[in-house]
Amino acid sequence: MLRQQDVGHRVVVRRIVGVTGDRTLFTDALGELVDLSETELTIATAKGTLRVPLSEVHRAKRVPPARRPHAAAVIALEHAADDAWPAPVRARLGGWILRAADNWTGRANSALAVGDPDRPLEAAIDAVAKWYRERGQQPLVNAPMPLAAPVNAALDQRGWGTRPLTLVQTAVLAPMLATPARPDLPPVDLADSPGDDWYAMVAEHKGTLPASAISVLTGVPERVFAHVRDADGDLLAVARGAVTGTDRWLGVSLLQTAPAARRRGLGRHVVRALAQWAAQHGAARAYLQVEERNTPAVALYGRLGFSTHHTYLTREAPR
């Protein structure tokens, strides 16, 4: 049977779907285990998210991941993403990166557990917990999967909790650039700095932005802020782009559309504009991070050509 340390891994589940005479009927589901509770398990399959009551599970086991990226590729992309979301307070623990930004977003307030922490794993976890508690913050660890499986197993033993699984998705820019522009939509204004209404729209979803949030958003040399406004100047959509890493990745973040302007193609419109900007800055690929449970966003990104490169779990220490 599956255990908490299997969350984030690819699994196969044989499910009981009925009985015919004296014969039990089964069906198999293959996907990534994204949650495991006392009553059910949840897997992300190629056809969507599937929740299976444990009472219906006949067998379940972990299986090798499909097209697993090399560890070096995962580490390089995680470092590019870290460069694109620079926490103002930082420290090193061997290869691990400790980050703090007044609790604004998990990415900027968690230890990135990639590489060698330069000490035994248990001592590394102790050091992470001490560093965050000295700053009055709940200790968090960002554990890319399956690369950080040993870290997750150790945190399971300590009773650390798990936030919703995050998908790190990637796409090639060329197909986006080949998509015809939408002349019927307002133009995308790309600015070096966000306007006040841009901050206001982001705050609706991310909460009040402390000074450290402004530092995270504007602390990247090659970044751009997308604004789409209607004829009256009201903001319809926003996003942020940043080009970082030795492989020149475009990081897409904070893509949001005003409720009244949704389902008009503005998301694709904005991402295409970011892709054009990034290509001029030497980027050929893009990445983004999205919670697996955010099915509308995952579907949108899939239509834009994004697919999952790897996943990560944000682990939180007991309070």
Side-chain angles (χ1 to χ4, degrees), residues 143-215:
M145 295 299 291
L147 184 67
V151 177
N152 270 308
L155 295 176
D156 286 337
Q157 293 295 318
R158 289 173 173 241
W160 283 48
T162 305
R163 293 185 178 180
L165 183 76
T166 297
L167 311 179
V168 181
Q169 299 198 312
T170 61
V172 176
L173 295 186
M176 300 182 201
L177 299 174
T179 303
R182 289 280 304 273
D184 57 311
L185 294 177
V188 181
D189 176 35
L190 299 179
D192 292 336
S193 300
D196 291 341
D197 52 357
W198 191 100
Y199 281 130
M201 181 174 283
V202 169
E204 290 177 4
H205 297 272
K206 290 292 187 180
T208 303
L209 306 185
S212 56
I214 310 305
S215 175

Side-chain angles (χ1 to χ4, degrees), residues 1-2 11-16 26-29 41 52 54 56-62:
M1 191 58 185
L2 300 173
V11 300
V12 62
V13 176
R14 173 153 290 187
R15 180 181 186 181
I16 301 170
F26 303 98
T27 186
D28 292 338
L41 58 82
V52 182
L54 295 185
E56 297 179 6
V57 176
H58 178 62
R59 293 178 182 173
K61 65 179 181 178
R62 190 192 298 187

Side-chain angles (χ1 to χ4, degrees), residues 18 25 28-29 61 108 112 114 158 194 198 204 212 229 235 238 248 256 278 298:
L25 303 179
D28 292 338
K61 65 179 181 178
L112 179 58
V114 297
R158 289 173 173 241
W198 191 100
E204 290 177 4
S212 56
R229 294 185 171 87
L235 198 58
V238 300
R248 307 295 291 162
Q256 296 173 26
V298 173

Side-chain angles (χ1 to χ4, degrees), residues 78 81 107 166-169 252 287-291 301 312:
E78 285 293 333
R107 278 179 282 170
T166 297
L167 311 179
V168 181
Q169 299 198 312
V252 178
Y287 74 89
L288 52 82
Q289 297 157 320
V290 58
E291 287 189 359
Y301 299 141
Y312 72 76

